[in-house]
Amino acid sequence: FYLNISEASRPVGEVSGRRARMLGPRMNPNRTAYFNVIRDPVSRCVSRFYYERDARGTFPHDATIDECMAPNGRCKFEEWKESEASGLKGFQRYRQFREECASNYLSRWFCGMDDVCHQDVHSREVLRRAKRTMAAGYAFVGLTSEMKANFQILKTLLPNFFDHDGIPLDICNKCKDAAGKPLPKEA
């Protein structure tokens, strides 16, 4: 996401689901704040497995993530190599799933497009560059599991955008407790 920080008293954009829409006519690169909200990598991988199983049929309907992760299971994340990247050999759902879960996906995302970010995906250099990008290039990086706290922080960091009555600060479309029951709405 990116926001054009304005001196105006009204918000300069809106967040809806996974998209941010700008209301202003122009972007000013000197007054742009980048922010990102990411999912915990393990939660993301588990969720992706069940999505691929249930919605796409990539795995048998009765398969579990534990079976997939077992030594003789189908996941075999430890065997993934950059040469198997889904973008290099055509789109294949299983290949994309394996890459996303095995290849240090979020570190590569924040590392950037340089060759080093995609050669040895588990190197310290990838992590170092990702950290540098996050520290120097983003006003904020949060976790999807902490959306309420994220919005409170963003409200402080970017008040022209987030301190507005029309922006819901308690977004949670799949919030559940450990038993899988929806969390109660706070008053």
Side-chain angles (χ1 to χ4, degrees), residues 48-127:
R48 178 67 186 263
F49 171 82
Y50 287 107
Y51 172 76
E52 290 296 337
R53 182 193 77 177
D54 298 340
R56 301 290 184 187
T58 306
F59 298 95
H61 73 281
D62 58 347
T64 67
I65 187 70
D66 290 333
E67 292 168 349
C68 192
M69 297 289 296
N72 61 344
R74 187 169 174 202
C75 290
K76 300 189 184 335
F77 297 137
E78 70 281 356
E79 295 176 10
W80 184 86
K81 296 173 184 63
E82 179 66 23
S83 61
E84 297 176 7
S86 59
L88 298 176
K89 297 191 177 187
F91 184 81
Q92 184 184 49
R93 297 205 76 77
Y94 170 72
R95 180 175 282 156
Q96 186 183 34
F97 159 75
R98 222 175 107 180
E99 176 181 358
E100 200 170 296
C101 292
S103 69
N104 213 0
Y105 181 78
L106 290 171
S107 292
R108 290 187 307 134
W109 173 266
F110 285 105
C111 180
M113 298 304 294
D114 290 342
D115 286 344
V116 70
C117 300
H118 302 277
Q119 288 170 347
D120 181 4
V121 297
H122 298 291
S123 75
R124 291 266 183 221
E125 181 61 14
V126 170
L127 180 60

Coordinates of all heavy atoms in Angstrom, one line a residue, residues 48-127:
R48 N -2.7 -21.7 3.0 CA -2.6 -22.0 1.6 C -2.8 -23.4 1.3 O -3.4 -23.8 0.3 CB -1.2 -21.5 1.1 CG -0.9 -21.7 -0.4 CD -1.8 -20.9 -1.2 NE -1.6 -21.2 -2.6 CZ -0.9 -20.5 -3.5 NH1 -0.2 -19.5 -3.1 NH2 -0.8 -20.9 -4.7
F49 N -2.2 -24.3 2.1 CA -2.4 -25.8 2.0 C -3.9 -26.1 1.9 O -4.4 -26.8 1.0 CB -1.7 -26.6 3.1 CG -2.1 -28.0 3.0 CD1 -1.5 -28.9 2.1 CD2 -3.1 -28.5 3.8 CE1 -1.8 -30.2 2.1 CE2 -3.5 -29.9 3.8 CZ -2.8 -30.7 2.9
Y50 N -4.7 -25.6 2.9 CA -6.1 -26.0 3.0 C -6.9 -25.3 1.9 O -7.9 -25.9 1.4 CB -6.6 -25.7 4.4 CG -6.1 -26.7 5.4 CD1 -5.2 -26.4 6.3 CD2 -6.6 -28.0 5.3 CE1 -4.7 -27.4 7.2 CE2 -6.1 -29.0 6.2 CZ -5.2 -28.7 7.1 OH -4.7 -29.7 7.9
Y51 N -6.5 -24.1 1.5 CA -7.1 -23.5 0.3 C -6.9 -24.3 -0.9 O -7.8 -24.6 -1.7 CB -6.6 -22.1 0.1 CG -7.1 -21.5 -1.2 CD1 -8.4 -21.0 -1.3 CD2 -6.3 -21.4 -2.3 CE1 -8.8 -20.4 -2.4 CE2 -6.7 -20.8 -3.5 CZ -8.0 -20.3 -3.5 OH -8.4 -19.8 -4.7
E52 N -5.7 -24.7 -1.2 CA -5.4 -25.6 -2.3 C -6.1 -26.9 -2.3 O -6.6 -27.4 -3.3 CB -3.9 -25.8 -2.5 CG -3.1 -24.6 -2.8 CD -3.4 -24.0 -4.2 OE1 -3.9 -24.8 -5.1 OE2 -3.1 -22.8 -4.5
R53 N -6.2 -27.5 -1.1 CA -6.9 -28.7 -1.0 C -8.4 -28.6 -1.2 O -9.0 -29.3 -2.0 CB -6.7 -29.3 0.4 CG -7.3 -30.7 0.7 CD -7.4 -31.1 2.1 NE -8.4 -30.3 2.8 CZ -8.7 -30.5 4.1 NH1 -8.1 -31.4 4.8 NH2 -9.7 -29.8 4.6
D54 N -9.0 -27.6 -0.5 CA -10.5 -27.5 -0.5 C -11.1 -26.8 -1.7 O -12.1 -27.2 -2.2 CB -11.0 -26.8 0.8 CG -10.6 -27.5 2.1 OD1 -10.3 -28.8 2.0 OD2 -10.6 -26.9 3.1
A55 N -10.4 -25.7 -2.1 CA -11.0 -24.9 -3.2 C -10.4 -25.3 -4.6 O -11.1 -25.1 -5.6 CB -10.7 -23.4 -3.0
R56 N -9.2 -25.8 -4.6 CA -8.6 -26.1 -5.9 C -8.4 -27.6 -6.2 O -8.0 -27.9 -7.3 CB -7.2 -25.4 -6.0 CG -7.3 -23.9 -5.8 CD -8.0 -23.3 -7.0 NE -8.0 -21.8 -6.9 CZ -8.6 -21.0 -7.7 NH1 -9.2 -21.5 -8.7 NH2 -8.5 -19.7 -7.5
G57 N -8.5 -28.4 -5.2 CA -8.3 -29.8 -5.4 C -6.8 -30.2 -5.7 O -6.6 -31.3 -6.3
T58 N -5.9 -29.4 -5.3 CA -4.5 -29.7 -5.5 C -4.0 -30.9 -4.7 O -3.1 -31.6 -5.1 CB -3.6 -28.4 -5.1 OG1 -4.1 -27.3 -5.9 CG2 -2.2 -28.6 -5.5
F59 N -4.7 -31.1 -3.5 CA -4.4 -32.2 -2.6 C -5.6 -33.0 -2.4 O -6.7 -32.4 -2.6 CB -3.8 -31.7 -1.3 CG -2.6 -30.9 -1.4 CD1 -2.6 -29.6 -1.5 CD2 -1.3 -31.6 -1.4 CE1 -1.4 -28.8 -1.6 CE2 -0.2 -30.9 -1.5 CZ -0.2 -29.5 -1.6
P60 N -5.5 -34.3 -2.1 CA -6.7 -35.1 -1.8 C -7.6 -34.4 -0.7 O -7.1 -33.8 0.2 CB -6.2 -36.4 -1.4 CG -4.8 -36.5 -1.9 CD -4.3 -35.1 -2.0
H61 N -8.9 -34.6 -0.8 CA -9.8 -33.8 0.1 C -9.7 -34.2 1.5 O -10.0 -33.5 2.4 CB -11.3 -34.1 -0.4 CG -11.8 -35.4 -0.1 ND1 -11.5 -36.5 -0.9 CD2 -12.6 -35.9 0.9 CE1 -12.1 -37.6 -0.4 NE2 -12.7 -37.3 0.7
D62 N -9.1 -35.4 1.8 CA -8.9 -35.8 3.2 C -7.5 -35.6 3.7 O -7.1 -36.0 4.8 CB -9.4 -37.2 3.4 CG -8.6 -38.2 2.5 OD1 -7.9 -37.8 1.6 OD2 -8.7 -39.4 2.8
A63 N -6.6 -35.0 2.9 CA -5.2 -34.8 3.3 C -5.1 -33.7 4.4 O -5.9 -32.8 4.4 CB -4.4 -34.4 2.1
T64 N -4.1 -33.9 5.2 CA -3.9 -32.8 6.3 C -2.5 -32.2 6.0 O -1.6 -32.8 5.4 CB -3.9 -33.4 7.7 OG1 -2.8 -34.3 7.8 CG2 -5.2 -34.2 7.9
I65 N -2.3 -31.1 6.6 CA -1.0 -30.4 6.5 C 0.1 -31.3 7.2 O 1.2 -31.4 6.7 CB -1.0 -29.0 7.1 CG1 0.4 -28.3 6.8 CG2 -1.3 -29.0 8.6 CD1 0.6 -27.9 5.4
D66 N -0.3 -32.0 8.3 CA 0.7 -32.9 9.0 C 1.1 -34.0 8.0 O 2.3 -34.3 8.0 CB 0.1 -33.4 10.3 CG -0.1 -32.4 11.3 OD1 0.7 -31.4 11.3 OD2 -1.0 -32.5 12.2
E67 N 0.2 -34.6 7.3 CA 0.6 -35.6 6.4 C 1.5 -35.1 5.2 O 2.4 -35.7 4.8 CB -0.7 -36.2 5.7 CG -1.5 -37.0 6.7 CD -2.9 -37.4 6.2 OE1 -3.3 -36.8 5.1 OE2 -3.6 -38.2 6.8
C68 N 1.2 -33.9 4.8 CA 2.0 -33.3 3.7 C 3.4 -33.0 4.2 O 4.3 -33.1 3.5 CB 1.3 -32.0 3.3 SG 1.9 -31.3 1.7
M69 N 3.5 -32.6 5.5 CA 4.8 -32.2 6.0 C 5.6 -33.5 6.5 O 6.8 -33.3 6.8 CB 4.6 -31.3 7.2 CG 4.0 -30.0 6.9 SD 5.1 -28.9 5.9 CE 6.4 -28.6 7.1
A70 N 5.0 -34.6 6.6 CA 5.7 -35.8 7.1 C 6.9 -36.2 6.1 O 6.9 -35.7 5.0 CB 4.7 -37.0 7.1
P71 N 7.9 -36.9 6.6 CA 9.0 -37.2 5.8 C 8.7 -37.8 4.5 O 9.3 -37.5 3.5 CB 9.8 -38.2 6.7 CG 9.5 -37.8 8.1 CD 8.0 -37.4 8.0
N72 N 7.7 -38.6 4.4 CA 7.3 -39.2 3.1 C 6.1 -38.5 2.5 O 5.5 -38.9 1.5 CB 6.9 -40.7 3.3 CG 5.8 -40.9 4.2 OD1 5.4 -40.0 5.0 ND2 5.2 -42.1 4.2
G73 N 5.8 -37.3 3.0 CA 4.6 -36.5 2.5 C 5.0 -35.8 1.2 O 6.1 -35.8 0.7
R74 N 3.9 -35.2 0.7 CA 4.1 -34.5 -0.7 C 4.7 -33.2 -0.6 O 5.3 -32.7 -1.6 CB 2.7 -34.4 -1.3 CG 2.7 -34.0 -2.7 CD 1.4 -34.1 -3.4 NE 1.4 -33.5 -4.7 CZ 0.4 -33.1 -5.3 NH1 -0.8 -33.3 -4.8 NH2 0.5 -32.6 -6.5
C75 N 4.7 -32.5 0.5 CA 5.2 -31.1 0.5 C 6.7 -31.0 0.2 O 7.0 -30.2 -0.7 CB 4.9 -30.4 1.9 SG 3.1 -30.1 2.2
K76 N 7.5 -31.7 0.9 CA 9.0 -31.7 0.6 C 9.6 -30.3 0.4 O 10.3 -30.0 -0.5 CB 9.3 -32.6 -0.6 CG 8.8 -34.0 -0.4 CD 9.3 -34.9 -1.5 CE 8.8 -36.3 -1.5 NZ 8.4 -36.9 -0.2
F77 N 9.2 -29.4 1.4 CA 9.7 -28.0 1.3 C 11.2 -28.0 1.3 O 11.8 -27.1 0.6 CB 9.2 -27.2 2.4 CG 7.7 -27.1 2.4 CD1 7.0 -27.2 3.6 CD2 7.0 -26.8 1.3 CE1 5.6 -27.1 3.6 CE2 5.6 -26.7 1.3 CZ 4.9 -26.8 2.5
E78 N 11.9 -28.8 2.0 CA 13.3 -28.8 2.1 C 14.0 -29.1 0.8 O 15.2 -28.8 0.6 CB 13.8 -29.7 3.2 CG 13.7 -31.2 2.9 CD 12.3 -31.8 3.1 OE1 11.4 -31.0 3.6 OE2 12.0 -33.0 2.8
E79 N 13.3 -29.7 -0.2 CA 13.9 -30.0 -1.5 C 13.7 -28.9 -2.5 O 14.2 -29.0 -3.6 CB 13.3 -31.3 -2.0 CG 13.6 -32.5 -1.1 CD 13.0 -33.8 -1.6 OE1 12.4 -33.8 -2.7 OE2 13.0 -34.8 -0.8
W80 N 12.9 -27.9 -2.2 CA 12.6 -26.8 -3.1 C 13.9 -26.1 -3.6 O 14.8 -25.8 -2.7 CB 11.6 -25.8 -2.6 CG 11.2 -24.8 -3.6 CD1 10.3 -24.9 -4.5 CD2 11.9 -23.5 -3.8 NE1 10.2 -23.8 -5.3 CE2 11.2 -22.9 -4.9 CE3 12.9 -22.8 -3.2 CZ2 11.5 -21.6 -5.3 CZ3 13.3 -21.6 -3.7 CH2 12.6 -21.0 -4.7
K81 N 14.0 -25.8 -4.9 CA 15.2 -25.1 -5.4 C 14.7 -23.9 -6.2 O 13.6 -24.0 -6.8 CB 16.0 -26.0 -6.2 CG 16.7 -27.2 -5.5 CD 17.4 -28.1 -6.5 CE 17.9 -29.3 -5.8 NZ 16.9 -30.2 -5.2
E82 N 15.5 -22.9 -6.3 CA 15.1 -21.7 -7.1 C 14.8 -22.1 -8.5 O 13.9 -21.5 -9.2 CB 16.2 -20.7 -7.0 CG 16.0 -19.4 -7.8 CD 14.8 -18.6 -7.3 OE1 14.5 -18.7 -6.1 OE2 14.2 -17.8 -8.1
S83 N 15.4 -23.1 -9.1 CA 15.2 -23.5 -10.4 C 13.8 -24.0 -10.6 O 13.3 -24.2 -11.8 CB 16.2 -24.6 -10.9 OG 16.1 -25.7 -10.1
E84 N 13.1 -24.3 -9.5 CA 11.7 -24.8 -9.6 C 10.7 -23.6 -9.4 O 9.5 -23.9 -9.3 CB 11.4 -25.8 -8.5 CG 12.3 -27.1 -8.7 CD 12.0 -28.0 -7.5 OE1 11.1 -27.8 -6.7 OE2 12.7 -29.0 -7.4
A85 N 11.1 -22.4 -9.5 CA 10.2 -21.3 -9.3 C 9.1 -21.4 -10.2 O 9.3 -21.6 -11.4 CB 11.0 -20.0 -9.4
S86 N 7.9 -21.1 -9.7 CA 6.7 -21.3 -10.6 C 6.7 -20.3 -11.8 O 6.1 -20.7 -12.8 CB 5.4 -21.0 -9.7 OG 5.4 -19.7 -9.2
G87 N 7.3 -19.2 -11.7 CA 7.3 -18.3 -12.8 C 8.2 -18.7 -13.9 O 8.1 -18.2 -15.0
L88 N 9.2 -19.6 -13.6 CA 10.1 -20.0 -14.6 C 9.6 -21.1 -15.5 O 10.1 -21.3 -16.6 CB 11.4 -20.5 -13.9 CG 12.2 -19.4 -13.1 CD1 13.4 -20.0 -12.4 CD2 12.6 -18.3 -13.9
K89 N 8.7 -22.0 -15.0 CA 8.3 -23.1 -15.8 C 6.8 -23.2 -16.0 O 6.2 -24.3 -16.0 CB 8.8 -24.4 -15.1 CG 10.3 -24.5 -15.0 CD 10.8 -25.8 -14.6 CE 12.3 -25.8 -14.6 NZ 12.9 -27.1 -14.3
G90 N 6.2 -22.1 -16.1 CA 4.7 -22.1 -16.2 C 4.0 -22.2 -14.9 O 4.6 -22.6 -13.9
F91 N 2.8 -21.8 -14.9 CA 2.0 -21.7 -13.7 C 1.5 -23.1 -13.3 O 0.9 -23.8 -14.1 CB 0.8 -20.8 -13.9 CG 0.0 -20.6 -12.7 CD1 0.4 -19.7 -11.7 CD2 -1.2 -21.3 -12.5 CE1 -0.4 -19.5 -10.6 CE2 -2.0 -21.2 -11.4 CZ -1.6 -20.3 -10.4
Q92 N 1.8 -23.6 -12.1 CA 1.3 -24.8 -11.6 C 1.0 -24.6 -10.1 O 1.9 -24.2 -9.4 CB 2.3 -25.9 -11.8 CG 1.9 -27.3 -11.4 CD 3.0 -28.3 -11.5 OE1 4.1 -28.1 -11.0 NE2 2.7 -29.5 -12.1
R93 N -0.2 -24.9 -9.7 CA -0.6 -24.6 -8.3 C 0.2 -25.3 -7.3 O 0.6 -24.6 -6.3 CB -2.1 -25.0 -8.2 CG -3.0 -24.2 -9.1 CD -4.4 -24.1 -8.6 NE -4.5 -23.1 -7.5 CZ -4.6 -21.8 -7.6 NH1 -4.5 -21.3 -8.8 NH2 -4.7 -21.0 -6.6
Y94 N 0.5 -26.6 -7.4 CA 1.4 -27.2 -6.4 C 2.8 -26.6 -6.4 O 3.3 -26.4 -5.3 CB 1.5 -28.7 -6.8 CG 2.5 -29.4 -5.9 CD1 2.3 -29.7 -4.6 CD2 3.7 -29.8 -6.5 CE1 3.2 -30.3 -3.8 CE2 4.7 -30.4 -5.7 CZ 4.4 -30.7 -4.3 OH 5.4 -31.3 -3.5
R95 N 3.3 -26.3 -7.5 CA 4.7 -25.7 -7.6 C 4.6 -24.3 -6.9 O 5.5 -24.0 -6.1 CB 5.1 -25.5 -9.0 CG 6.5 -24.9 -9.1 CD 7.0 -24.9 -10.5 NE 7.4 -26.3 -10.8 CZ 7.5 -26.8 -12.0 NH1 7.2 -26.1 -13.1 NH2 7.9 -28.0 -12.2
Q96 N 3.6 -23.5 -7.1 CA 3.5 -22.2 -6.5 C 3.3 -22.3 -5.0 O 3.9 -21.6 -4.2 CB 2.3 -21.5 -7.1 CG 2.2 -20.0 -6.6 CD 1.0 -19.3 -7.1 OE1 0.0 -19.9 -7.4 NE2 1.2 -18.0 -7.4
F97 N 2.5 -23.3 -4.5 CA 2.3 -23.5 -3.1 C 3.6 -23.9 -2.5 O 4.0 -23.3 -1.4 CB 1.3 -24.7 -2.9 CG 1.4 -25.3 -1.6 CD1 0.9 -24.7 -0.4 CD2 1.9 -26.6 -1.4 CE1 1.0 -25.3 0.8 CE2 2.0 -27.2 -0.2 CZ 1.5 -26.6 0.9
R98 N 4.4 -24.8 -3.1 CA 5.6 -25.2 -2.5 C 6.6 -24.1 -2.4 O 7.3 -23.9 -1.5 CB 6.2 -26.4 -3.3 CG 6.8 -27.5 -2.5 CD 7.2 -28.6 -3.3 NE 8.6 -28.6 -3.3 CZ 9.4 -29.5 -3.9 NH1 8.9 -30.4 -4.6 NH2 10.7 -29.4 -3.9
E99 N 6.7 -23.3 -3.5 CA 7.6 -22.2 -3.5 C 7.3 -21.2 -2.4 O 8.1 -20.7 -1.7 CB 7.5 -21.5 -4.9 CG 8.4 -20.3 -5.0 CD 8.3 -19.6 -6.3 OE1 7.6 -20.1 -7.2 OE2 8.9 -18.5 -6.5
E100 N 6.0 -20.9 -2.3 CA 5.6 -19.9 -1.3 C 5.9 -20.3 0.1 O 6.3 -19.5 0.9 CB 4.0 -19.7 -1.5 CG 3.6 -18.4 -0.9 CD 2.1 -18.1 -1.3 OE1 1.8 -18.0 -2.4 OE2 1.3 -18.1 -0.3
C101 N 5.8 -21.6 0.4 CA 6.0 -22.1 1.7 C 7.5 -22.4 2.0 O 7.9 -22.4 3.2 CB 5.2 -23.3 2.0 SG 3.4 -23.0 2.1
A102 N 8.3 -22.7 1.0 CA 9.6 -23.2 1.2 C 10.7 -22.1 0.9 O 11.9 -22.3 1.3 CB 9.9 -24.4 0.3
S103 N 10.4 -21.0 0.2 CA 11.4 -20.2 -0.4 C 11.7 -18.9 0.3 O 12.2 -18.0 -0.3 CB 11.1 -19.9 -1.8 OG 10.0 -19.1 -1.9
N104 N 11.3 -18.8 1.6 CA 11.5 -17.5 2.3 C 10.8 -16.4 1.6 O 11.4 -15.3 1.3 CB 13.0 -17.3 2.4 CG 13.4 -16.5 3.7 OD1 12.6 -16.2 4.5 ND2 14.7 -16.3 3.8
Y105 N 9.6 -16.6 1.2 CA 8.8 -15.8 0.3 C 8.7 -14.3 0.8 O 9.0 -13.4 0.0 CB 7.4 -16.4 0.3 CG 6.4 -15.6 -0.6 CD1 6.4 -15.7 -2.0 CD2 5.4 -14.8 0.0 CE1 5.5 -15.1 -2.8 CE2 4.5 -14.1 -0.8 CZ 4.6 -14.2 -2.2 OH 3.7 -13.6 -3.0
L106 N 8.4 -14.0 2.0 CA 8.3 -12.7 2.5 C 9.7 -11.9 2.5 O 9.8 -10.8 2.2 CB 7.6 -12.6 3.8 CG 6.2 -12.9 3.8 CD1 5.6 -13.1 5.2 CD2 5.4 -11.9 3.0
S107 N 10.7 -12.6 2.9 CA 12.1 -12.0 2.8 C 12.4 -11.7 1.4 O 13.0 -10.6 1.1 CB 13.1 -13.0 3.4 OG 12.9 -13.1 4.8
R108 N 12.1 -12.6 0.5 CA 12.4 -12.2 -1.0 C 11.6 -11.1 -1.4 O 12.0 -10.2 -2.2 CB 12.1 -13.5 -1.8 CG 13.1 -14.6 -1.7 CD 12.9 -15.7 -2.6 NE 11.5 -16.2 -2.7 CZ 10.8 -16.4 -3.8 NH1 11.4 -16.2 -5.0 NH2 9.6 -16.9 -3.7
W109 N 10.3 -11.0 -1.0 CA 9.4 -9.9 -1.4 C 10.0 -8.5 -1.0 O 10.1 -7.6 -1.7 CB 8.1 -10.1 -0.7 CG 7.1 -8.9 -0.9 CD1 7.0 -7.9 -0.1 CD2 6.3 -8.7 -2.0 NE1 6.0 -7.0 -0.6 CE2 5.6 -7.5 -1.8 CE3 6.0 -9.4 -3.2 CZ2 4.7 -6.9 -2.7 CZ3 5.1 -8.8 -4.1 CH2 4.5 -7.6 -3.8
F110 N 10.4 -8.4 0.3 CA 11.0 -7.2 0.8 C 12.4 -7.0 0.3 O 12.9 -5.8 0.3 CB 10.9 -7.1 2.3 CG 9.5 -6.9 2.8 CD1 8.7 -7.9 3.4 CD2 8.9 -5.6 2.7 CE1 7.5 -7.6 3.8 CE2 7.6 -5.3 3.2 CZ 6.9 -6.4 3.7
C111 N 13.1 -8.0 0.0 CA 14.5 -7.9 -0.5 C 14.5 -7.1 -1.8 O 15.3 -6.2 -2.0 CB 15.1 -9.3 -0.7 SG 16.9 -9.2 -1.3
G112 N 13.6 -7.4 -2.7 CA 13.5 -6.7 -4.0 C 13.8 -7.6 -5.2 O 13.6 -8.8 -5.1
M113 N 14.2 -6.9 -6.3 CA 14.3 -7.6 -7.6 C 15.7 -7.9 -8.0 O 15.9 -8.5 -9.0 CB 13.6 -6.7 -8.6 CG 12.1 -6.5 -8.4 SD 11.2 -8.1 -8.3 CE 11.4 -8.8 -9.9
D114 N 16.7 -7.5 -7.2 CA 18.1 -7.8 -7.5 C 18.3 -9.3 -7.6 O 17.6 -10.1 -6.8 CB 19.1 -7.2 -6.5 CG 19.1 -5.7 -6.6 OD1 18.7 -5.1 -7.6 OD2 19.6 -5.1 -5.6
D115 N 19.3 -9.8 -8.3 CA 19.5 -11.2 -8.5 C 19.8 -11.9 -7.1 O 19.4 -13.0 -6.9 CB 20.7 -11.4 -9.4 CG 20.4 -11.2 -10.9 OD1 19.2 -11.1 -11.2 OD2 21.3 -11.0 -11.7
V116 N 20.5 -11.2 -6.2 CA 20.8 -11.8 -4.9 C 19.6 -12.1 -4.2 O 19.6 -13.1 -3.4 CB 21.7 -10.8 -4.1 CG1 21.0 -9.6 -3.6 CG2 22.3 -11.5 -2.9
C117 N 18.5 -11.5 -4.4 CA 17.2 -11.7 -3.7 C 16.6 -13.0 -4.1 O 15.6 -13.5 -3.5 CB 16.3 -10.6 -3.9 SG 16.9 -9.0 -3.2
H118 N 17.0 -13.6 -5.2 CA 16.4 -14.8 -5.8 C 17.3 -15.9 -6.1 O 16.9 -16.9 -6.6 CB 15.6 -14.4 -7.1 CG 14.6 -13.3 -6.8 ND1 13.4 -13.6 -6.3 CD2 14.7 -12.0 -6.9 CE1 12.7 -12.4 -6.1 NE2 13.5 -11.5 -6.4
Q119 N 18.6 -15.8 -5.7 CA 19.6 -16.9 -6.0 C 19.7 -17.8 -4.8 O 19.3 -19.0 -4.9 CB 20.9 -16.3 -6.3 CG 20.9 -15.6 -7.7 CD 22.2 -14.9 -8.0 OE1 23.0 -14.6 -7.1 NE2 22.4 -14.5 -9.2
D120 N 20.2 -17.4 -3.7 CA 20.2 -18.2 -2.5 C 19.2 -17.6 -1.5 O 19.5 -16.7 -0.7 CB 21.6 -18.1 -1.9 CG 21.7 -19.0 -0.6 OD1 20.8 -19.7 -0.3 OD2 22.8 -19.0 0.0
V121 N 18.0 -18.1 -1.6 CA 16.8 -17.5 -0.9 C 16.9 -17.6 0.6 O 16.2 -16.9 1.3 CB 15.5 -18.1 -1.4 CG1 15.3 -17.7 -2.9 CG2 15.4 -19.6 -1.1
H122 N 17.8 -18.4 1.1 CA 17.9 -18.6 2.6 C 19.2 -17.9 3.1 O 19.6 -18.1 4.2 CB 17.9 -20.1 3.0 CG 16.6 -20.7 2.6 ND1 15.4 -20.5 3.2 CD2 16.3 -21.6 1.6 CE1 14.5 -21.2 2.7 NE2 15.0 -21.9 1.7
S123 N 19.8 -17.1 2.3 CA 21.1 -16.4 2.7 C 20.8 -15.3 3.7 O 19.7 -14.7 3.7 CB 21.8 -15.9 1.5 OG 21.2 -14.7 1.0
R124 N 21.8 -14.9 4.4 CA 21.7 -13.8 5.4 C 21.6 -12.5 4.6 O 21.0 -11.5 5.1 CB 23.0 -13.7 6.2 CG 23.1 -14.9 7.2 CD 22.5 -14.4 8.5 NE 22.6 -15.5 9.5 CZ 21.6 -15.7 10.3 NH1 20.5 -15.1 10.3 NH2 21.8 -16.7 11.2
E125 N 22.1 -12.4 3.4 CA 22.1 -11.2 2.5 C 20.6 -10.9 2.2 O 20.2 -9.7 2.2 CB 22.9 -11.4 1.3 CG 22.9 -10.1 0.4 CD 23.5 -8.9 1.1 OE1 24.1 -8.9 2.1 OE2 23.3 -7.8 0.5
V126 N 19.8 -11.9 1.8 CA 18.4 -11.7 1.5 C 17.7 -11.1 2.7 O 17.0 -10.1 2.6 CB 17.7 -13.0 1.1 CG1 16.2 -12.8 1.0 CG2 18.3 -13.5 -0.2
L127 N 18.0 -11.7 3.9 CA 17.4 -11.2 5.1 C 17.8 -9.7 5.4 O 17.0 -8.9 5.8 CB 17.7 -12.1 6.3 CG 17.1 -11.7 7.6 CD1 15.6 -11.6 7.6 CD2 17.5 -12.7 8.7

